[in-house]
Amino acid sequence: MEESKAMRKLRVCVATCNRADYSKLAPIMFGIKANPDEFELEVVVLGSHLIDDYGNTFRMIEQDDFDIGSKLHTIVRGEDEAAMVESVGLALVKLPDVLHRLRPDVLVVHGDRFDALALATAAALMNIRILHLEGGEVSGTIDDSIRHAISKLAHYHACCTRTAEQHLIAMCEDHTRILLAGCPSYDKLLAAHHRDDYMDIIRNWLGDNVKEDNYIVALQHPVTTDIKNSIKIYELMLDALISFNKRTLVLFPNIDAGSKEMVRVMRKKGVEQHPNFRAVKHVPFEQFIQLVCHAGAMIGNSSCGVREAGAFGTPVINLGSRQTGRETGENVLHVRDADTQNKIYHALELQFGKRYPCSKIYGDGNAVPRILKFLQTIDLDEPLQKTFCFPPVKEWDISQDIDHILETQSALAVDLGGTNLRVAIVSMRGKIVKKYTQANPKTYEARIELILKMCAEAVFDAVHLNCRILGVGIGGGIIQHNELIHGSTFCAAELGHIMVSLDGPECMCGSRGCIEAYASGMALQKEAKRLHDEELLEVEGMVDLKKAESISAIHLINAARLGNRKAEAVLRTAGMALGVGIVNILHMVNPSLVILSGVLAAHYQAPVQQVIDQRALTSAQSIQVLTSDLEEPALLGAASMVLDYTTRRIY
């Protein structure tokens, strides 16, 4: 009997290769284990976890009460380039049997290690879905190539920063399969770095006499693309630390090519016997973050220095090129050409004992819930074959796909105006295929109901008009680098509610002095009615307003055109208010051009230009104000965002 889809648990295999990736994977593993009704967890351990020289760190996984389903000895000793290649080959020989036995729905792989590349390669060839953590980042060594290669093999991505997300999209990964989660290790470190027993941990690793903020944590790894230079930097770092004469915890380097030579340098310098130094192979992550959090400085080239240490404001000296491309907080001082002991020593003098603002570039402490929710959305019935979102290379009219030949790629655009609500079907070429207009209701609920009703009508009509709707765009927003800025609550760019006066007219939003309260069509209609009620609107040459069904902004404009000074004053005030608001916008985003649209644009052009000339900073005074002669620019702009966004990601 086929397993019920409703009762189906997701079989998740987490594979960990070393102490560093376990610190990122462990929070996810705990989260999976805490949800047994949703997930089945399998743990595979390989790589340096199983080597005594690197601390046999698989034991900390067992101490965390995880059942290790498979232990694979995959490291060929030698710590050189050939040994790394042979280790990848050995892993590829051993992994198929394990993956075939476990049959996971999803394999979770972290980062940029050669072991992880073997995992991703094996899983991809065996048709196992892959979730890759920390893709899209840039560090500056061979790790970049490995990381990006894993991203191309992976089916899903949980990345840490907005920049990494944009890199993955630029690499043609499907944006619907990318989660901006933050770094999972931040979930633990942000919750745990205020432990009351941190001094006990510091004394346990560094001795009873050491004080908070008065010791150094050093962790330097080899750079496999420049082993000779990285060993030289390591030697200079140790010399500088010996001269600096502070208590220092030195962690052994990882297993990359060149690590054996680094250990030789460390022993040649007598670090393990030096009274100021404590050299260790491994520190449990929960204790390590306490040591980093309360250190006077961290030095080396570990990703921990440019990622986790920033969350504490710990001063960091980053040596060499291994983390060149990483995003960092202001706590990191880079010594890229660490070619002298004095340069490193001077960096220690500058950084030691400082405290910096805490940075959350890499996470806010909620990565694991996001990742678990993301895993739950994986549809195992979806085709396994990856699709890449390449940019279009052909004109639409020469497409050889029958769907594109027979259908017009289109968007629904919505313009929520003060007076009217408009919806339009807009084609790829900017043609308004059909437009719908209704009076804008007064309440929020009625507006939403009407928008949905009008959009449903347009979608129904689109079928008969042979239009394929790719999405819906609502007018109003700020576009930067072809992307819509959403804001924290998806309400960015309420430009109409920029306040230009503290005691101006009341706005529909409940505030006073908004641009909309001065310069919108409804605001002018309100002023026109006021003048009409006071019998101050009519002038010679105007039609008899007593016969008009309703007074509108057009009547105010006509009165001003015929010399009505009261109407002129209203338009002048509205134009100046709009101009002041636009000056504020110029000072924030510094565009190259201002384009006004709508029936009032021609009346506002001159006063807005005048306010810019008089009140804008020198950098913005040369900006020209133009009026748009496009048909329905708000609708076209909203549609263009949908059409650009979707077509960039379809191919």
Side-chain angles (χ1 to χ4, degrees), residues 417-420 439-442 447 505-506 508 515-534 536-537 545 548-559 566-567 570-571 574 599-600 604:
T419 306
N420 291 316
N440 196 354
K442 295 189 179 299
R447 287 172 187 162
E506 186 175 356
M508 289 182 65
I515 295 176
E516 188 170 303
Y518 281 103
S520 67
M522 290 191 70
L524 295 185
Q525 182 183 34
K526 183 178 179 181
E527 288 297 300
K529 287 181 178 178
R530 179 182 64 80
L531 292 177
H532 178 64
D533 292 343
E534 297 173 5
L536 298 174
L537 188 60
L545 294 182
E549 292 183 5
S550 63
I551 303 300
S552 69
I554 297 298
H555 295 109
L556 184 77
I557 293 168
N558 290 336
K566 295 288 186 180
V570 170
L571 286 176
V599 294
L600 298 171
Y604 287 151

Side-chain angles (χ1 to χ4, degrees), residues 267-279:
R267 286 173 175 158
K268 179 182 176 183
K269 300 283 183 185
V271 166
E272 290 169 297
Q273 290 77 40
H274 196 286
N276 269 348
F277 287 81
R278 174 83 188 280

Side-chain angles (χ1 to χ4, degrees), residues 71-304:
K71 296 176 184 175
L72 300 180
H73 291 271
T74 58
I75 297 299
V76 176
R77 300 307 301 269
E79 286 77 23
D80 58 13
E81 296 95 330
M84 290 168 65
V85 176
E86 291 169 355
S87 296
V88 171
L90 182 57
L92 287 172
V93 169
K94 292 188 174 185
L95 280 167
D97 285 342
V98 172
L99 295 177
H100 183 73
R101 174 171 55 83
L102 298 178
R103 296 187 180 277
D105 297 317
V106 179
L107 176 71
V108 180
V109 179
H110 169 271
D112 49 27
R113 307 293 302 143
F114 58 85
D115 326 68
L117 179 60
L119 282 162
T121 302
L125 291 173
M126 295 181 69
N127 291 325
I128 296 170
R129 299 168 193 269
I130 302 165
L131 172 63
H132 183 208
L133 304 181
E134 296 190 9
E137 297 185 19
V138 178
S139 57
T141 68
I142 190 64
D143 294 351
D144 277 347
S145 298
I146 295 175
R147 185 186 309 110
H148 300 332
I150 296 172
S151 292
K152 301 319 292 180
L153 292 168
H155 303 84
Y156 307 94
H157 310 273
C159 59
C160 297
T161 70
R162 180 73 63 184
T163 299
E165 179 188 38
Q166 293 303 313
H167 287 165
L168 287 169
I169 292 172
M171 291 162 61
C172 303
E173 293 298 307
D174 184 349
H175 74 289
T176 66
R177 294 189 171 195
I178 301 171
L179 171 70
L180 177 55
C183 184
S185 66
Y186 269 54
D187 290 24
K188 182 176 288 188
L189 64 90
L190 289 176
H193 80 277
H194 290 301
R195 279 174 53 167
D196 295 334
D197 63 345
Y198 71 89
M199 281 307 303
D200 294 335
I201 295 170
I202 293 171
R203 293 188 185 105
N204 180 55
W205 290 97
L206 288 158
D208 292 335
N209 296 325
V210 72
K211 296 180 180 178
E212 181 180 2
D213 294 337
N214 198 37
Y215 63 89
I216 297 169
V217 174
L219 179 53
Q220 179 88 1
H221 300 304
V223 177
T224 57
T225 51
D226 193 1
I227 295 173
K228 185 176 180 181
N229 186 52
S230 64
I231 294 169
K232 180 65 175 177
I233 292 174
Y234 189 63
E235 185 174 9
L236 294 172
M237 179 190 77
L238 293 178
D239 288 338
L241 287 169
I242 291 169
S243 299
F244 199 67
N245 199 30
K246 291 290 182 182
R247 194 78 171 124
T248 302
L249 180 71
V250 179
L251 279 86
F252 277 58
N254 66 19
I255 202 168
D256 282 352
S259 60
K260 185 184 293 184
E261 289 83 351
M262 280 188 167
V263 173
R264 288 196 191 103
V265 168
M266 184 174 68
R267 286 173 175 158
K268 179 182 176 183
K269 300 283 183 185
V271 166
E272 290 169 297
Q273 290 77 40
H274 196 286
N276 269 348
F277 287 81
R278 174 83 188 280
V280 298
K281 295 175 181 178
H282 168 66
V283 179
F285 181 71
E286 293 83 353
Q287 298 181 42
F288 183 65
I289 61 175
Q290 300 300 317
L291 294 166
V292 172
C293 175
H294 300 284
M298 184 175 183
I299 188 170
N301 65 2
S302 168
S303 62
C304 177

